[in-house]
Amino acid sequence: MRKFRLFFILFALIFHAFSVSAADDFALWKTNIYQKALELKISKNILDKYFLNVEYLPNVIELDRKQPEFTVSFGRYMKRMVSENRIQTAQDMFQKHNRLLGRIENRYGIPAHYLLAFWALETNFGKNKGNTDILNALSTLSFDKRRTEFFSEQLMTLLKILQEENISPPKGSWAGAFGHFQFIPTTFYQYAVDEDQDGRRDIIFSFEDAISSAANYLSKMGWEKDKIWGRQVILVHPEIVQELGAFHPLSFWVKNGVMRADGKEFTPDTLDIQAKLLLPEGINGPAFLTYKNFDVIKRWNLSDSYALAVCILADKIVNRSSLDVDALPIKPDLKNDDISFVQKVLKKQGFYNGNIDGILGKDTKKAIKSYQKNNNLVADGFLSESLISSFKSKEFK
């Protein structure tokens, strides 16, 4: 018992010392950021009023490391995001805001059902805009080492917004996004519009401003008017997976046995459209050909699962033939520790040069694909259970 008590006291002292050190580091960081903000013409009044009291939020770092788009299985994620209730609610909102949506579509060229899909996924039609003080969240993420440069830019831009828009720090997500469509500060600063013409760009309380701002952003990102995002397909020849991620005209894919999943043929007037193959669950899961508008959607969120959820939900809002979400199998979710382990193995073998962060991003997927190709496996870039098991086998220890 005495040994246990001594151990506990020692642990408490170490933890306290670490906490004090972290607090000191954050205080020093705040001093440096305060000075940089002054150099960027952020007023001392704004900084003293809002920035001096920012707090470090440990839970934000935990959430940053466990983003569901990168760990939840495709089937589970799609069932959660594209539910029957969500489809019905979106269709009801289509009718409720019909005139506004029509006006926005005419002005920006963004079909209403895509905007409604974004709204559904981001805040459940405005019901869940987030309760985190985004000034604290962005300060925490800027202080963190994973994406310091990106979040520092967001933090400085937020301080500019507070100064120029004369608003208080809004509540939002742990990642520093806010409003109906969860804009990060730089997106708000560049693309938010005052649709209701009341003199303010209010994406939190004005639905008109918010949805017009979303349409403006997608338009500026290069949305192709009167084009769809892509469609589900069937691969007749699995070896075509070697072209995964490469853009080719539809005529190329048709020539290589790629068929529409709805049983119809690609029409002659579409065969010049550039498309690339996407396999969210590898060669044994559903397949899609995605067009330019899909990449525009990924400018909003880089996750393939998120982008597909937007697209499939948008399809179902207007009753377009699309993926049968209910029929998707639910496979085990990935674990961040397993992803980190795979990253370490891939790095040791020279396939991966990124950070060991437990996040299945594009660089990790690229490394997996290279490893698969080098070992005469189907190079679909998918981190399957069997692949994880093979990495954990004795030959890799």
Side-chain angles (χ1 to χ4, degrees):
M1 180 65 71
R2 185 178 179 184
K3 288 183 179 179
F4 176 78
R5 188 179 296 123
L6 289 172
F7 173 80
F8 180 80
I9 293 172
L10 179 61
F11 176 81
L13 289 171
I14 293 172
F15 180 79
H16 176 72
F18 176 80
S19 300
V20 170
S21 175
D24 289 344
D25 289 345
F26 188 65
L28 177 60
W29 173 87
K30 281 174 61 175
T31 300
N32 292 335
I33 292 296
Y34 187 101
Q35 187 57 43
K36 289 180 181 178
L38 288 174
E39 294 170 3
L40 291 174
K41 310 301 181 186
I42 307 298
S43 75
K44 188 176 185 299
N45 287 340
I46 289 292
L47 292 171
D48 289 349
K49 184 176 182 180
Y50 298 121
F51 185 69
L52 279 183
N53 296 318
V54 295
E55 299 176 357
Y56 182 81
L57 305 178
N59 67 306
V60 164
I61 301 302
E62 183 178 351
L63 290 167
D64 179 59
R65 302 297 193 267
K66 296 181 179 180
Q67 298 178 48
E69 290 85 357
F70 300 104
T71 56
V72 175
S73 68
F74 182 68
R76 193 188 310 278
Y77 184 83
M78 292 300 291
K79 289 174 190 288
R80 181 187 302 170
M81 296 298 175
V82 189
S83 66
E84 287 299 325
N85 180 65
R86 186 163 276 178
I87 295 166
Q88 184 59 59
T89 302
Q91 291 173 337
D92 293 343
M93 291 297 179
F94 208 141
Q95 295 301 317
K96 179 180 179 179
H97 299 288
N98 187 48
R99 291 182 62 184
L100 171 63
L101 292 168
R103 186 170 76 240
I104 290 172
E105 184 169 342
N106 288 335
R107 182 181 306 164
Y108 297 105
I110 312 299
H113 50 292
Y114 288 99
L115 296 172
L116 290 169
F118 274 111
W119 190 28
L121 265 62
E122 290 295 340
T123 62
N124 194 22
F125 307 101
K127 295 177 183 177
N128 303 319
K129 298 191 188 85
N131 294 311
T132 301
D133 184 314
I134 68 168
L135 185 57
N136 286 336
L138 289 174
S139 295
T140 299
L141 292 165
S142 300
F143 174 69
D144 187 45
K145 304 302 181 186
R146 193 175 81 83
R147 298 179 67 192
T148 301
E149 186 176 344
F150 172 80
F151 284 112
S152 293
E153 181 184 13
Q154 300 307 317
L155 174 59
M156 290 299 178
T157 304
L158 176 60
L159 292 170
K160 273 190 196 178
I161 292 169
L162 300 182
Q163 179 168 280
E164 296 177 14
E165 302 284 333
N166 193 28
I167 61 173
S168 301
K171 300 289 186 179
S173 75
W174 64 264
F178 63 104
H180 279 275
F181 288 84
Q182 295 293 278
F183 277 14
I184 57 174
T186 50
T187 301
F188 172 90
Y189 197 77
Q190 296 177 65
Y191 303 105
V193 297
D194 178 17
E195 177 68 23
D196 58 18
Q197 299 184 353
D198 67 349
R200 299 180 61 209
R201 300 187 296 170
D202 182 2
I203 64 171
I204 301 173
F205 300 107
S206 171
F207 178 63
E208 290 184 64
D209 286 2
I211 198 164
S212 296
S213 297
N216 183 46
Y217 174 74
L218 292 169
S219 176
K220 294 290 172 48
M221 290 301 101
W223 186 273
E224 291 190 334
K225 188 178 180 180
D226 301 323
K227 295 289 195 305
I228 61 174
W229 65 269
R231 63 175 69 253
Q232 186 181 3
V233 295
I234 296 172
L235 307 183
V236 177
H237 307 301
E239 59 269 21
I240 195 63
V241 73
Q242 65 186 353
E243 297 295 332
L244 185 66
F247 270 111
H248 294 292
L250 283 179
S251 57
F252 169 87
W253 298 108
V254 172
K255 182 179 178 181
N256 285 277
V258 177
M259 303 170 57
R260 286 174 53 157
D262 59 10
K264 299 178 181 179
E265 294 185 356
F266 289 101
T267 57
D269 61 311
T270 65
L271 294 179
D272 289 335
I273 293 177
Q274 294 288 316
K276 61 182 176 181
L277 182 64
L278 175 63
L279 303 173
E281 282 199 307
I283 193 64
N284 296 315
F288 303 89
L289 284 181
T290 65
Y291 309 158
K292 181 181 176 182
N293 283 342
F294 184 81
D295 284 354
V296 172
I297 289 171
K298 288 190 66 175
R299 295 291 297 272
W300 193 296
N301 186 313
L302 286 172
S303 164
D304 287 332
S305 293
Y306 176 91
L308 281 170
V310 169
C311 297
I312 303 305
L313 179 55
D315 284 348
K316 292 184 181 295
I317 291 171
V318 292
N319 299 310
R320 177 177 179 243
S321 176
S322 194
L323 176 71
D324 185 353
V325 174
D326 291 336
L328 290 172
I330 298 181
K331 299 178 181 178
D333 296 340
L334 289 171
K335 296 182 177 64
N336 294 101
D337 289 345
D338 284 343
I339 298 172
S340 294
F341 178 79
V342 168
Q343 288 173 329
K344 290 176 183 176
V345 171
L346 292 171
K347 195 161 198 171
K348 186 175 181 180
Q349 296 196 2
F351 295 103
Y352 179 65
N353 294 316
N355 295 325
I356 309 300
D357 55 14
I359 296 175
L360 191 61
K362 63 178 182 178
D363 290 339
T364 304
K365 290 180 180 179
K366 184 179 178 180
I368 292 170
K369 186 178 178 181
S370 296
Y371 168 83
Q372 291 169 325
K373 187 175 181 180
N374 192 69
N375 287 272
N376 297 315
L377 302 172
V378 177
D380 58 11
F382 181 63
L383 185 55
S384 64
E385 288 183 87
S386 61
L387 190 59
I388 293 173
S389 295
S390 72
F391 282 158
K392 289 183 175 180
S393 65
K394 292 182 179 180
E395 61 183 296
F396 292 117
K397 291 182 178 178

